Amino acid sequence: MTVKKKSVPSAEKTRIPAIIKPMLCTLVAKPFTAPGWIYEVKWDGYRIIAYKNGKNVTLRSRKGLDYTARYAVVSNAIKKITGDFVIDGEVVAFDEQGKVNFDLVQKANPDAPLAYYVFDILWKDGSSLMNRPLSERKTILEKALPKTGIIKYSASFTDGIALFEQAKKMELEGIIAKREDSVYVPDKRGGDWLKITTKRRQEFVIGGWAESSRGRSFKTLIFGAYDNGKLIWVGHGGGGFKEKEMPGILQELKKIEIKRSPFANEVEYDTPAHWVKPVKVAIFEYATLTASGKIRKPATFKGWRYDKDANDVLLEKPMSEEQEKQVVELKEPAKPKKKATSSQRRKETNVKRPKEATGESNWPKLEKIQITSKDQVKIDGCTLVLTNIERELWDGVYKSDLITYYNNIAEYILPHIKNRPLSLHIKPYSPTAAGLYIKDMEGRQPECAEIFSTHRKHPKPGKRNIIDYLVCNNRATLLYLINLGCIDINPWTSSVSDYLHPNFIVIDLDPSDEDFGKAITTAQAAKEFFDKQKLKAYIKTSGKTGMHIFLPCTGFDFPQARAAAIVICEGIHELVPGITTTAVSIDQRGKKLYVDPNQNDEADTVASAYSCRPFKIPTVSTPLEWKEVKSNLDPHHFTIKTIFKRLEKKRDLWKDIFDSKTAEANSRSLIKFTA
């Protein structure tokens, strides 16, 4: 069969990203000099990504907070630079002796001289540069920046050991080692960027304070870091505080005081201790660690970090010498992917947003529904209020049954929705009645949930320009969604770490007359097409009357993914033209099955694997083996009551759908369809 390419939309230039979360470094113990690496100064300031689009300049912190006004002198200097761009760097402040002083930049002292040392460029004049080699990005950056002024190019060097020794003499924080060919991977800590500090200094989460027996406001602050989701106590810090500031610190801590220790392990203290919610982050400098990872002596307080979420503070241990040797000497140089990537992630677990619904929001309609019962439960440390669980959804199936189903299916469904923004389809009246659609959480998310914020594409009067999408990464958030009224879970095909590039191309087999037999025949034709094109595809029931086919991919933006989907749908249609159609207009479809490529645009959603569906019975969107796709297949057999028996036998048939080798192999075959 010859596949005829239809006219498809050409790939548009990449729009300026709304928010990019910075690429991170891995701590190593010793400096080194090696081929293929460059070295930069590690500046002791605030990590800032700057966005310039026309006359608009925005400075954002690591958390995505807007620091434009805070560092106005920097943003004003950026406005004078020619072109549109996104650059990454560190805002630093200098004291009277000309030394870098973190305390001054943290307090945004208006009298302190500031500089913005820029070391990377991520986007320029309509094109993402993040998948270009670092050496190429540095060349582009140096040409783009002025030679003098507040905005400074952070130069790179080839001798890491010599630069480290110079950093020690100048009392700088340390150096960064970067692989010359590394691509920019937002919010990723790996082996391509390494940090070597001149002093042992780290960010920690404050979990309490110990009382002083000498009349001070407190003796020490008690701190730790997260390891596998648990806050681990590491040490105490009693030095470095200014006496006049300590009463104010104590008052702030008392506002968040709690009764029990937030640490998962036992804390050692010799004076009475008080505990606080683990939300404050501070930097401490220390001498050595014990074998168990505890600070041997009390640490010295160096300042607060208001630009970092406590949940992001991980237990950081230097690589062993063997690990470092493997990373530096043995790793093959990274090869840039063919297609540029752009990404955005904004994780805001406890973001406080205005609760007033805006514009045409559906929140007021939802919140007017009468509550007939209420019960408070604690799931994985998160308190949820379950309401109206006695409501009958289907004949003999109640809301409590649906909550129980999602609680039991969580280990299977969570990997398929993890780190993916959700559009909520809420069914407050019945599964088959009209529902409410909600995208923007408007501050209503539970504390255990995560949020992905992005600019609204089409601004509307009365609505915010930012949309806060819910991200479901845990069981508690999943059950919150079901209690809210969701029956099915509908994630994006891209993740928050790279939201402009889908992980899948989706083909929807949608019978116009609800004849599932047509879906079976068309799916069999699709498998024939995929085998001929050397593509690996995954199939599942839609949970209603059709089927969903997912093709893992990588390196494509959404216009390219849609272009490929159109060609694929046309190829499938040519194999079974008597029962299928690619006509967009419903009036032109008749009783034929629509081979649908339309779920391949940015922010499009598809029901997740193992999601229950709002259908006439509680069916489940169920992964299939291709050999199961035959005439006796009945999608009604897969329900919230029968699915677990199937899982006992077959487990998750889509467990390897995220395998990078499959995505790369598919993309090599799909590239011809994207032009």
Side-chain angles (χ1 to χ4, degrees), residues 273-293:
H274 299 258
W275 311 112
V276 299
K277 292 180 181 178
V279 294
K280 289 185 174 292
V281 178
I283 299 176
F284 289 89
E285 193 172 284
Y286 56 94
T288 59
L289 294 174
T290 66
S292 62

Side-chain angles (χ1 to χ4, degrees), residues 175 187 203 281 366 460 472 488 567 584 616:
I175 67 171
D187 201 30
E203 296 149 353
V281 178
L366 187 61
K460 296 181 180 180
C472 179
D488 54 354
V567 176
V584 176
K616 55 191 176 184

Side-chain angles (χ1 to χ4, degrees), residues 419-421 491-504 558 602-604:
N419 293 331
R420 298 183 185 278
W492 289 15
T493 57
S494 61
S495 69
V496 296
S497 62
D498 196 2
Y499 80 109
L500 291 177
H501 297 81
N503 304 112
F504 313 102
F558 278 101
E602 181 186 340
D604 280 349

Side-chain angles (χ1 to χ4, degrees), residues 52 54 57 73-83 85 146:
K52 181 176 182 290
V57 171
V73 66
V74 173
S75 55
N76 289 335
I78 291 174
K79 287 180 183 178
K80 299 175 183 178
I81 303 176
T82 303
F85 49 78

Side-chain angles (χ1 to χ4, degrees), residues 187-205:
D187 201 30
K188 178 70 178 294
R189 192 188 304 276
D192 286 340
W193 287 17
L194 308 175
K195 60 182 177 182
I196 308 100
T197 57
T198 56
K199 300 176 182 178
R200 290 185 179 270
R201 178 183 287 194
Q202 193 174 333
E203 296 149 353
F204 292 105
V205 179

Side-chain angles (χ1 to χ4, degrees), residues 59 113 127 139 165 184 243 308 356 383 400 507 536 625:
L59 306 183
S127 297
T139 300
E165 292 302 317
Y184 193 98
E243 290 293 333
K308 190 163 186 178
E356 293 77 24
T383 300
S400 59
I507 308 299
K536 184 171 182 178
E625 294 174 300

Side-chain angles (χ1 to χ4, degrees), residues 145-367:
L145 296 182
K147 302 301 180 186
T148 59
I150 291 173
I151 313 302
K152 300 181 183 296
Y153 172 71
S154 187
S156 55
F157 304 85
T158 56
D159 191 333
I161 295 175
L163 182 63
F164 183 80
E165 292 302 317
Q166 188 64 24
K168 283 201 299 185
K169 290 179 183 178
M170 297 176 66
E171 298 182 11
L172 297 173
E173 190 181 3
I175 67 171
I176 303 292
K178 297 180 179 179
R179 197 175 287 279
E180 281 184 316
D181 59 0
S182 61
V183 298
Y184 193 98
V185 186
D187 201 30
K188 178 70 178 294
R189 192 188 304 276
D192 286 340
W193 287 17
L194 308 175
K195 60 182 177 182
I196 308 100
T197 57
T198 56
K199 300 176 182 178
R200 290 185 179 270
R201 178 183 287 194
Q202 193 174 333
E203 296 149 353
F204 292 105
V205 179
I206 306 302
W209 79 89
E211 291 183 5
S212 172
S213 58
R214 299 181 179 180
R216 298 176 82 203
S217 297
F218 53 86
K219 180 181 180 180
T220 61
L221 296 188
I222 305 170
F223 56 77
Y226 282 94
D227 188 22
N228 292 322
K230 296 180 179 179
L231 185 61
I232 304 300
W233 169 69
V234 174
H236 297 258
F241 299 100
K242 295 179 181 178
E243 290 293 333
K244 64 180 180 180
E245 295 179 353
M246 291 181 72
I249 293 173
L250 182 60
Q251 286 303 114
E252 289 299 311
L253 293 176
K254 284 183 176 180
K255 292 178 183 178
I256 55 174
E257 187 173 359
I258 56 179
K259 293 182 179 180
R260 295 183 179 180
S261 169
F263 298 104
N265 57 337
E266 186 176 348
V267 180
E268 298 173 8
Y269 50 92
D270 53 13
T271 59
H274 299 258
W275 311 112
V276 299
K277 292 180 181 178
V279 294
K280 289 185 174 292
V281 178
I283 299 176
F284 289 89
E285 193 172 284
Y286 56 94
T288 59
L289 294 174
T290 66
S292 62
K294 304 295 186 297
I295 289 176
R296 192 178 298 277
K297 296 180 180 180
T300 302
F301 174 81
K302 304 303 292 184
W304 298 102
R305 292 304 300 243
Y306 300 114
D307 61 330
K308 190 163 186 178
D309 275 326
N311 291 333
D312 292 336
V313 178
L314 305 179
L315 204 56
E316 192 172 17
K317 299 177 183 177
M319 286 184 180
S320 66
E321 289 189 14
E322 185 60 35
Q323 288 173 323
E324 183 179 338
K325 181 179 180 181
Q326 186 174 5
V327 167
V328 174
E329 297 179 3
L330 303 181
K331 180 182 173 184
E332 289 294 325
K335 296 180 180 179
K337 298 176 183 177
K338 294 182 179 179
K339 300 294 177 181
T341 62
S342 168
S343 52
Q344 174 193 48
R345 185 182 180 212
R346 189 179 181 187
K347 177 184 176 183
E348 297 180 294
T349 304
N350 295 312
V351 178
K352 292 182 179 179
R353 303 266 183 199
K355 290 198 174 182
E356 293 77 24
T358 56
E360 301 172 354
S361 170
N362 279 322
W363 281 110
K365 299 176 186 177
L366 187 61
E367 291 167 348

